[in-house]
Amino acid sequence: MQITTCSDASGHAVTFSDKKFLATSFDGLLPIAHIARSLGLFKNAKEVISAAVPGKCNTQYSSQAMFEQRVLALAAGFEDLNDHDQLFHDPGFSSALGTADIAGSATLCRFENSFNRHSIDQLNETLLTTFAQANEKLGLLPKIRRKGYRCIFLDVDSTYVELYGNQENKSYNGHYQCCCLAPVLCYLHGYPIAVFGAAGTTDARRVLEHYLCRLLKRIRELFPDYIVVLRADSGFNSNKIVETCLAQGAHYIMGFPPIKAAQTAVYEKGLKHAKRKEVKRYTAAGTAVQIIGGVQWNAKSWKQKRRVIARKRFDSRTCQLDLRLIQSSIVNTTNPQHKGYAGELSLASTEDMYEQVYCGRGRMEQWIGEFKTECFGDRASATKFHTNCYRMILSAYCQMLLKIARRVQYFGVRRTNKKAVLKTVRTFRRDVICVTAAVREMRKELRLTLPEHLHDRQAFEALFSIRI
């Protein structure tokens, strides 16, 4: 026993005991790794990585193990490669990984610098395949009431990843006012399925035009019973994207810039099925008058007329008019044989098409923020461009894993607690993953001794009792 000169507020002397015991700070990482192994979330990526970066005969670290090590470290909240020099001391992290041979920062850096464009494209494709396999086991997509009726949204948006050093494809973006990369992120029903890296000044429309045809074709093959709807803002307004969606049998609903010709058409032709109502706004009067209606319009560069939905909002106190336009291939009909029929979306009114369907893409901002801050997708500190793209894909796998774990854990708690709330990544990591426990490794079991108080014991125990 070691005696110190320190004492607590009650006057008790503080001493150190000579008895040693093993402890882990990542108790909840064990069921997270178990979910990944049971669903085979890393199987497709490991096959691509082993073929793209084959392991050398004189190393003890396989490329597959280093990929899994990085994803689990991101799930636990460790974004830097330098953290891996100390993670091997934690028995919980070693047990979740399945080996005590954990690669250090230098080994991981050499491994991640060996990727090229072809291997990055193949890794991107594994995200969609992995999601499809997880959906078969867990039913992540909404259930189909009848074939060709339910819709799934392919949400697309671009963001920025700020750079600070001398890195490849670094350029100044005037919109974001920083030197950055501008990747394009794709989410299917809220799950990441692709991360397309691009330079800071690259037009996001050109990036999506290059990959969209192949992406839609694979989605249609994996989910043939669903209607695929591309949802994007006006930054992706492109005739080529629209024609690609129609050629692949998918629908689109995207923003449209209120150019002068479109404003003239709205005012001259008028809005069909228009509804007027007062909405709450942060104005001097507190409310504003809003009108939503539709019009069939054909621009000079379009081959045929399209359905355009307009939302006009007028503040009488400031005399300001705000006009927003969206375009869509979905028509309002009950005839399944109609060319623009889109199942349940064809039954929605013009007002619901704008406020519920299109404005639902606002959740994309939440997913991107989660990808960048909670899953560390904005950690692009490598010199090589493809290395940074690989790290973004790692963050996408981390986000998919944590989203599946939170969903499974939420429904496990919901059975006994009807007021349960789906946790954010930050809260989930604090309450479930980063839990300290004493570890005792026996012959056939790993015994954990938990602290008396936990933030959410019910959620923590529910994650350990999941059967997949």
Side-chain angles (χ1 to χ4, degrees), residues 82-122:
N82 296 334
D83 299 326
H84 292 261
D85 294 333
Q86 301 296 329
L87 282 176
F88 71 92
H89 292 296
D90 194 295
F93 188 84
S94 301
S95 300
L97 190 60
T99 177
D101 295 330
I102 298 178
S105 59
T107 306
L108 290 172
C109 185
R110 289 192 297 269
F111 164 68
E112 294 181 359
N113 283 327
S114 57
F115 285 92
N116 53 26
R117 179 180 177 181
H118 181 65
S119 56
I120 292 298
D121 289 342
Q122 288 182 322

Side-chain angles (χ1 to χ4, degrees), residues 14-86:
V14 178
T15 59
F16 292 151
S17 175
D18 294 334
K19 295 182 179 179
K20 305 295 183 181
F21 67 95
L22 290 177
T24 176
S25 300
F26 315 111
D27 196 7
L29 198 60
L30 294 169
I32 299 294
H34 173 72
I35 291 174
R37 287 193 300 269
S38 301
L39 298 177
L41 294 182
F42 303 148
K43 180 181 177 181
N44 299 311
K46 287 181 177 179
E47 292 177 356
V48 172
I49 290 175
S50 60
V53 188
K56 299 180 181 180
C57 59
N58 59 346
T59 181
Q60 59 179 340
Y61 310 112
S62 65
S63 57
Q64 301 177 357
M66 285 189 284
F67 171 81
E68 186 174 356
Q69 175 183 338
R70 284 281 279 139
V71 176
L72 293 180
L74 290 174
F78 291 91
E79 56 186 295
D80 292 328
L81 294 183
N82 296 334
D83 299 326
H84 292 261
D85 294 333
Q86 301 296 329

Side-chain angles (χ1 to χ4, degrees), residues 169-435:
N169 290 348
K170 174 184 175 182
S171 54
Y172 182 80
N173 190 300
H175 176 72
Y176 298 116
Q177 297 184 356
C178 64
C179 295
C180 61
L181 299 177
V184 177
L185 278 71
C186 302
Y187 286 83
L188 186 65
H189 196 63
Y191 293 85
I193 60 169
V195 182
F196 303 122
T201 54
T202 304
D203 191 352
R205 289 178 296 180
R206 303 293 178 258
V207 177
L208 186 62
E209 288 173 358
H210 180 73
Y211 293 101
L212 183 61
C213 180
R214 183 172 56 183
L215 183 61
L216 287 177
K217 186 179 297 184
R218 295 184 64 241
I219 294 176
R220 296 275 295 172
E221 291 175 355
L222 294 173
F223 308 102
D225 296 333
Y226 289 89
I227 299 174
V228 183
V229 180
L230 174 67
R231 187 164 56 180
D233 59 10
S234 58
F236 293 90
N237 177 41
S238 168
N239 289 332
K240 186 175 182 179
I241 292 178
V242 170
E243 294 171 359
T244 302
C245 290
L246 298 179
Q248 296 299 325
H251 292 275
Y252 64 88
I253 177 169
M254 64 179 64
F256 181 70
I259 58 178
K260 187 175 181 179
Q263 295 182 28
T264 304
V266 169
Y267 294 138
E268 291 181 352
K269 295 184 178 182
L271 298 178
K272 297 182 179 180
H273 310 290
K275 290 187 178 181
R276 179 182 182 275
K277 67 176 182 179
E278 286 191 358
V279 294
K280 293 182 179 180
R281 296 295 298 167
Y282 295 101
T283 60
T287 59
V289 178
Q290 176 175 288
I291 299 176
I292 298 179
V295 63
Q296 293 290 331
W297 182 60
N298 189 0
K300 293 182 179 180
S301 60
W302 297 354
K303 296 182 179 179
Q304 58 185 2
K305 289 186 177 181
R306 299 179 187 174
R307 181 187 182 186
V308 177
I309 299 176
R311 188 224 65 185
K312 296 190 292 184
R313 182 173 292 169
F314 180 72
D315 183 9
S316 58
R317 188 176 180 88
T318 59
C319 295
Q320 292 181 350
L321 177 64
D322 182 22
L323 177 64
R324 300 291 177 89
L325 301 175
I326 63 173
Q327 55 180 331
S328 177
S329 61
I330 303 172
V331 297
N332 190 0
T333 181
T334 58
N335 182 16
Q337 305 301 326
H338 198 282
K339 185 178 180 181
Y341 178 77
E344 56 187 355
L345 294 185
S346 292
L347 306 179
S349 62
T350 304
E351 186 179 7
D352 290 338
M353 280 292 293
Y354 183 87
E355 292 188 336
Q356 302 297 330
V357 180
Y358 176 72
C359 291
R361 66 170 298 277
R363 292 190 295 268
M364 184 76 178
E365 302 297 332
Q366 177 185 354
W367 301 333
I368 292 178
E370 183 181 273
F371 167 81
K372 293 174 62 176
T373 60
E374 304 298 333
C375 299
F376 314 110
D378 60 347
R379 186 66 174 177
S381 56
T383 303
K384 294 185 177 181
F385 172 71
H386 295 112
T387 303
N388 290 324
C389 293
Y390 170 73
R391 293 179 178 178
M392 294 179 194
I393 296 176
L394 286 177
S395 300
Y397 265 102
C398 174
Q399 186 178 19
M400 181 185 296
L401 174 59
L402 293 181
K403 194 175 183 67
I404 292 175
R406 284 185 296 159
R407 182 183 186 275
V408 175
Q409 179 258 348
Y410 168 72
F411 285 105
V413 176
R414 191 70 181 272
R415 295 174 184 175
T416 56
N417 184 9
K418 300 300 181 181
K419 296 182 179 180
V421 180
L422 188 62
K423 296 178 180 292
T424 61
V425 173
R426 187 187 301 273
T427 307
F428 181 77
R429 184 177 286 144
R430 181 200 65 189
D431 295 349
V432 178
I433 298 179
C434 297
V435 176

Side-chain angles (χ1 to χ4, degrees), residues 122-140:
Q122 288 182 322
L123 275 176
N124 255 325
E125 294 180 358
T126 60
L127 280 167
L128 179 57
T129 307
T130 300
F131 170 71
Q133 294 175 354
N135 175 65
E136 293 179 359
K137 297 182 179 180
L138 297 179
L140 303 176

